[in-house]
């Protein structure tokens, strides 16, 4: 786990996907809001400070969500079509016989791979860069939030904002949730 302001290592790995960063940040935001609504030990000024942090983090979460959606749509709609074409070309090459059919199958595969590479450069790279920039902004916003909260609240309260993570800090741990892809690796 990466070092950071969280004593318990609750900082998500920078290499985690945008979708996993979004989930992580939403968990933190929900905990901030729950402290505001349900923590009777907070003084009014501290409750108001947490409200302000929740508004700021909410804006960062929205910005990240705005970058995650087009990237996920690209991966799940556009990219899969190109990858499917490559798999078909590989299949045809494996099944081709010697001679002209083999040459045609190789040419189809080379064309499919070239189109995949061109599409990745033209479409994926800018989406990935935009997503990466939003992940960095979110992480910076959370680090600043932690510093501000550490000045006025206990380290335990700040730590309580962060959900447990799987080994390697790659995702939020959801033991027992069969619909979550982290369940198997959290054990």
């Amino acid at each position: 786990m990466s070092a950071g302001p969280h004593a318990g290592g609750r900082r998500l790995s920078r290499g985690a996907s945008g979708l996993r960063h979004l989930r992580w940040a939403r968990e933190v935001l929900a905990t901030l809001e729950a402290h505001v609504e349900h923590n009777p030990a907070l003084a009014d000024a501290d409750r108001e400070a947490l409200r302000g942090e929740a508004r700021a983090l909410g804006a960062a979460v929205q910005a990240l969500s705005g970058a995650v959606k087009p990237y996920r749509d690209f991966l799940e709609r556009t990219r899969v079509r190109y990858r499917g074409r490559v798999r078909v070309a590989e299949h045809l090459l494996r099944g081709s016989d010697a001679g002209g059919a083999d040459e045609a199958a190789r040419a189809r595969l080379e064309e499919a791979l070239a189109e995949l590479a061109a599409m990745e450069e033209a479409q994926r790279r800018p989406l990935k860069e935009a997503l990466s920039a939003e992940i960095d902004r979110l992480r910076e916003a959370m680090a600043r939030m932690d510093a501000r909260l550490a000045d006025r609240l206990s380290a335990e309260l700040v730590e309580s904002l962060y959900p447990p993570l799987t080994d390697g800090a790659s995702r939020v741990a959801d033991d027992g949730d069969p619909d979550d892809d982290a369940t198997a690796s959290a054990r």
Side-chain angles (χ1 to χ4, degrees):
M1 291 183 223
S2 61
H6 312 296
R10 304 269 193 222
R11 174 84 48 197
L12 191 69
S13 166
R14 175 57 183 88
S17 71
L19 191 58
R20 290 181 176 155
H21 271 87
L22 187 58
R23 164 68 189 284
W24 176 64
R26 285 178 172 156
E27 291 269 354
V28 173
L29 178 58
T31 308
L32 267 171
E33 292 169 342
H35 270 294
V36 169
E37 296 172 21
H38 303 288
N39 185 341
L42 289 173
D44 288 342
D46 293 337
R47 191 175 311 282
E48 195 53 41
L50 288 176
R51 273 191 194 100
E53 295 297 345
R55 282 190 297 274
L57 183 56
V61 166
Q62 279 303 111
L64 178 59
S65 181
V68 166
K69 182 169 180 10
Y71 186 68
R72 295 299 311 171
D73 285 349
F74 163 78
L75 291 177
E76 295 169 6
R77 292 190 174 99
T78 303
R79 186 169 181 250
V80 295
R81 285 183 285 135
Y82 286 83
R83 289 168 47 99
R85 183 173 172 209
V86 167
R87 283 190 297 278
V88 167
E90 289 170 339
H91 167 75
L92 292 172
L93 181 60
R94 281 190 303 273
S96 68
D97 13 24
D102 197 31
E103 284 300 314
R106 266 200 237 355
R108 274 193 292 278
L109 178 57
E110 287 174 14
E111 180 183 346
L113 289 169
E115 287 183 12
L116 175 63
M119 176 277 305
E120 291 265 342
E121 179 63 23
Q123 294 181 46
R124 184 180 193 174
R125 187 181 50 76
L127 290 169
K128 183 76 172 178
E129 287 172 356
L131 178 57
S132 184
E134 286 304 328
I135 288 171
D136 289 342
R137 281 191 274 280
L138 171 77
R139 293 174 70 86
E140 290 165 9
M142 291 174 84
R144 288 190 305 271
M145 174 190 77
D146 289 351
R148 286 188 299 270
L149 290 176
D151 286 344
R152 78 175 302 131
L153 299 166
S154 71
E156 292 79 17
L157 188 139
V158 175
E159 183 66 24
S160 78
L161 299 175
Y162 291 86
L165 302 174
T166 60
D167 290 341
S170 64
R171 60 190 103 171
V172 172
D174 270 338
D175 285 339
D177 183 350
D179 294 326
D180 187 79
D181 68 347
T183 299
S185 64
R187 293 182 182 158

